[in-house]
Amino acid sequence: MRKIFLYTIGLCLVVITNAQVDLVVNVTDLASAEAMNEVVVSIQNEEIGYADQAVTNSQGQVTFRGLATNGSYSVSASSEGYETVLVRDIELKNNEKASVQLALPRKTSSTLDEVAIVASSTDRINTINAEVSSELTLKEIRQLPVEG
């Protein structure tokens, strides 16, 4: 009886240790394809309530160790001057080398020194009652077609 109990515990430990996988995330610059270091990489598995963050090394890699194989993961990477990239529905399987490649595009923005809005409308807003009307100039009245 004791042997069966020990065998069952040993089998459970083997299953638990095999149900964990490492995930390697590689982060590169989209334009140059060069590895990016010091990038914050986040991982989440909402189904099991797991979340973690790490920073890439000089080769642009970060490894999340001992991840559970149940549920699906979301991985995101963000760095100053770059757009945040998110990959969803990553499913990990036993005995497979799991990796994700993230290519970050650079932010493109422009700063305007001044914005000028010029309008030449003489329309007035009626704030007294709900009457809707408009005014015609003499030139617009002369251009109206006359019937009869």
Side-chain angles (χ1 to χ4, degrees):
M1 182 70 166
R2 185 173 181 184
K3 284 184 179 182
I4 294 173
F5 178 72
L6 291 175
Y7 179 75
T8 305
I9 289 177
L11 184 62
C12 287
L13 289 175
V14 169
V15 170
I16 290 172
T17 57
N18 283 341
Q20 294 182 348
V21 178
D22 295 343
L23 176 66
V24 178
V25 180
N26 297 302
V27 181
T28 58
D29 181 300
L30 180 63
S32 66
E34 292 181 11
M36 296 177 60
N37 63 337
E38 303 294 322
V39 176
V40 177
V41 179
S42 302
I43 186 168
Q44 273 190 325
N45 185 335
E46 292 181 5
E47 296 171 30
I48 62 172
Y50 176 80
D52 196 8
Q53 279 189 339
V55 178
T56 58
N57 60 18
S58 60
Q59 287 88 30
Q61 291 185 342
V62 63
T63 302
F64 294 99
R65 299 196 183 278
L67 299 175
T69 55
N70 52 336
S72 62
Y73 289 87
S74 296
V75 176
S76 65
S78 60
S79 183
E80 191 168 327
Y82 290 86
E83 298 286 339
T84 299
V85 173
L86 172 68
V87 177
R88 295 185 180 162
D89 300 325
I90 301 168
E91 294 188 10
L92 304 177
K93 297 180 182 167
N94 287 336
N95 301 324
E96 286 188 12
K97 292 186 178 183
S99 66
V100 174
Q101 177 71 32
L102 300 176
L104 300 182
R106 293 189 177 142
K107 285 185 179 177
T108 54
S109 63
S110 59
T111 304
L112 299 177
D113 293 329
E114 182 178 328
V115 176
I117 299 173
V118 179
S120 61
S121 175
T122 59
D123 293 338
R124 288 175 270 159
I125 298 174
N126 182 356
T127 58
I128 298 171
N129 57 28
E131 181 182 310
V132 177
S133 65
S134 66
E135 298 176 2
L136 297 175
T137 63
L138 184 58
K139 183 179 178 182
E140 291 172 328
I141 292 172
R142 287 186 180 152
Q143 289 177 347
L144 289 174
V146 178
E147 291 184 25

